[in-house]
Amino acid sequence: MKQYITQDPWNIVEEGFHRDHNEITESLMSLGNGRIGQRGNFEEKFTGKTLQGNYVAGVYYPDKTRVGWWKNGYPDYFAKVLNAANWIGIDIDVEYESLDLNTCDVHDFRRVLNMQAGYLERSFVATLKSGKQLKVNSKRFCSIVDDEAGVIRYSITPLNFDAKITITPYIDGTIRNRDANYDETFWDEVRKETAYGEAYIELRTRKTGFHVASGMCVEIEQDAAKVDYQSQPIKYEKYVANRITLDCWQGQETVIYKYAVNLSSLNYDSDSLVKEARQYIQRITRKGFDKMLFEQKQAWADKWKMNDITIDGDVAAQQGIRFNIFQLNQTYTGEDERLNIGPKGFTGEKYGGSTYWDTEAYCLPFYLSTADQKVARNLLVYRYKHLQKAIENAQKLGFRAGAALYPMVTMNGEECHNEWEITFEEIHRNGAIAYAIYDYVRYTGDELYLVDYGLEVLIAISRFWSQRVNWSKDKNQYVMLGVTGPNEYENNVNNNWYTNYIAAWTLRYTIEAVGKVKALNPDKYADLIDRIHFREEKEISTAQHIVDNMHYPFDDGRQVFLQQSDFLDKDLMPVSDIPKGQRPLNQNWSWDRILRSCFIKQADVLQGLYFFEDEFDTDTLRRNFDFYEPMTVHESSLSPCVHSIQASKLGMVEKAYEMYLRTARLDLDDYNNDTEDGCHITSMAGTWLAVVKGFGGMRVDAKGLSFRPYCPAGWQSLAFKIRFRGVLLQITTTQQDVTVQNFSQQPITLRVHGEPLIIAGNSQETVVVKELA
Ligand code: BGC
């Protein structure tokens, strides 16, 4: 754990240059707009510890799989989120010395990510070896208004000298992925051009053939007036630049504006990419930095109006939640149904691929409640469009008759993860995709989604479950052998309770959805079953038989569900018995030792009790929580949030708060010692869940929307906003009472602490906070 980031409600602040933590800070200070993004790297040259990272959404590389022993069914590739051309670079040379914070003395360093307005700012004074002192101030952002553009204002002021300073703004496509399996480069150059103050480069990915054109235009001001500078174009392989030498006087500020764009062939015809890039650059240059920044601030203000969470009385918690909301908004905007939410977003390379079960299990509820309905719908449609690939994926493993197994990790619908215990066995992800359909329909009431898309996906997933279980003569029940549950610290187990449960639940829900769709639109239903050869009677009766006869391992003594059939053979002990210095286990123990231990990486049985809480009483939750939580090491970032929500439900408020802080500040405090790889973007949605479903107690069920809010000790108030079926609400909780404010015209009926409330349009109601469970 590291705590060098200054606590502040709206900013992520690094005071003083923490050279050794630079890659962590770069992850934290990442910028993005859903289409392009980058790590918080320096503009000028830096020879110290850094992971240069620029990313263009949807552009990936199918890196050849690396395994020791090939197994049939493995995917051929592991998709890498591609590190793309570095468009922020501006080299500064003072006579013969380069500005490089690794080799000069650095004073008054401050790097700030302004989350309210969506930009990154940095200032420092550098003393070069010669004693020359240079003051630098930079500000940049990825525009959410012009979402293929980024812009930088970079100013330099000599403090104790007059000199010729050479400024070299560039675009560098020689970049490599640090996580490349065979150390290959993934880009080829297509063309490049330079003109006065402008430069363009078009690169093409190997194998996938994506084209990306990056362009830049540079303007310079001195004494607040535009400078008509001389520039020398520079072209190397995959590199373009303009070298500009200026007379700079002591105390005089020189400001460099660098306008940049990154256009990809996902959105443009590849033949005209550079032409489009030039037009885009001209348009934003005409608009100018100040106007772009103004628009950026407005656009962020609009976003915050819809989804800010305020916590009075706890700056650490406040900063944590805003950081999470900010990064989620930077990663995914829902504008483009081909895109998804990678576990690292635009903040790093690790985890290749862009879509995991994280999207459905964790992120969907965030977008459902904080964005337009079409955003969450697009996340579902994304999977609908991959259905054919999921069917092919299941076929490769021997399943048939339209059974679908969605990939564990994907870019385009194909599986691209190749650890057998995950690819072949962590099949519970299929259930999360079915659950997301249910979650969306329950929240929005949009049952027509089932007619147009949902049922087809549910039937295909149900076909998979029906074939994946087998009848045990010994148990006289259905069993599911050789799986990995959400807890990846156990592999190849039999009857993972969570997987068995979600499989049977999917079958149940599919049967229900068949009935619904038939009633809603018999014609479309008839077309669908004809197209996918759904033998209604037979398939439904098989599904019902499985539902009625599924095996769920259970311990009669403790009255808890068993994570898997043999769980009780393990040497059970609490995490507190692990000797000091041996955590995280995945960095200290052999894999073999981890697999045999009772320690749990992330919510597993508890994940099921979280999804299906309406089907279990509070005592069941408490018994299972008390049994499993003490054995849980939370070494997946997806873990603490589920525990926090459940602890809130059980009235274990201190535990809920402890788990909340761990999720909210996971990256800011580098809890798992891995933030340098990038931020845990998908688990950030879990942080939001811990506030809204945990402290806020928000639920949507057949009776509608309800809340059971409370304020953790030490907080004066907690306020969050949600959108629900056309209504925007703010729920504000103090230690004493809860106020629900309705910002819409339309009235809404809901329950707060079990009491029904009708809140008229544009009004509010206050009730008293009640004791939890
Ligand atoms: C977790 C998975 C998760 C993946 C990506 C792993 O550590 O165990 O559940 O899908 O990270 O976030």
Side-chain angles (χ1 to χ4, degrees), residues 505-563:
W505 174 86
T506 308
L507 296 170
R508 256 197 286 151
Y509 182 52
T510 305
I511 297 171
E512 188 187 319
V514 164
K516 265 202 183 124
V517 171
K518 244 166 131 173
L520 285 168
N521 196 328
D523 292 346
K524 281 201 177 168
Y525 177 71
D527 286 351
L528 172 68
I529 63 171
D530 187 43
R531 183 161 52 80
I532 63 173
H533 310 296
F534 182 58
R535 291 156 304 154
E536 183 184 315
E537 212 182 305
K538 183 164 187 310
E539 295 196 41
I540 288 193
S541 78
T542 306
Q544 191 62 53
H545 198 254
I546 298 169
V547 170
D548 296 340
N549 295 284
M550 180 66 102
H551 174 65
Y552 299 109
F554 188 70
D555 175 23
D556 289 324
R558 296 178 182 85
Q559 291 284 299
V560 294
F561 302 116
L562 290 179
Q563 193 166 273

Side-chain angles (χ1 to χ4, degrees), residues 343 351 356-358 408 426 486 488 601-602 635-636 638 682:
Y351 278 115
Y356 288 60
W357 74 302
D358 306 25
M408 186 67 195
E426 210 176 325
E488 292 177 342
K601 182 180 181 189
Q602 67 203 90
E635 288 178 14
S636 160
L638 301 176
T682 48

Side-chain angles (χ1 to χ4, degrees), residues 722-734:
I722 61 141
R723 291 185 183 197
F724 182 74
R725 303 192 185 184
V727 175
L728 176 66
L729 297 173
Q730 176 166 288
I731 292 79
T732 308
T733 310
T734 64

Side-chain angles (χ1 to χ4, degrees), residues 3-15 29 110-117 119 121 304 308-324 326 660 664-665 668-669:
Q3 288 186 311
Y4 66 96
I5 295 295
T6 307
Q7 294 186 357
D8 179 286
W10 274 113
N11 299 294
I12 307 301
V13 186
E14 179 195 18
E15 294 280 3
M29 307 261 179
R110 203 173 138 84
R111 180 163 30 173
V112 182
L113 178 67
N114 182 320
M115 300 186 286
Q116 192 163 23
Y119 63 80
E121 193 165 22
W304 286 116
D308 190 19
I309 293 183
T310 54
I311 295 172
D312 273 346
D314 187 339
V315 182
Q318 174 70 80
Q319 184 182 40
I321 189 67
R322 285 215 173 105
F323 180 62
N324 289 270
F326 179 72
Y660 165 74
R665 298 193 59 86
L668 290 178
D669 294 339

Side-chain angles (χ1 to χ4, degrees), residues 626-646:
D626 290 347
F627 181 63
Y628 285 111
E629 198 283 329
M631 289 185 277
T632 307
V633 284
H634 304 291
E635 288 178 14
S636 160
S637 62
L638 301 176
S639 188
C641 55
V642 173
H643 289 82
S644 180
I645 296 168
Q646 288 175 333

Side-chain angles (χ1 to χ4, degrees), residues 33-35 144 147 267 303 331-339 372 374-376 378-379:
N33 59 16
R35 237 185 246 289
I144 54 173
D147 67 3
N267 305 314
K303 281 193 191 278
T331 307
Y332 184 75
T333 59
E335 298 287 327
D336 187 336
E337 68 188 25
R338 295 166 302 174
L339 304 179
D372 193 274
K374 77 166 197 290
V375 174
N378 269 351
L379 286 173

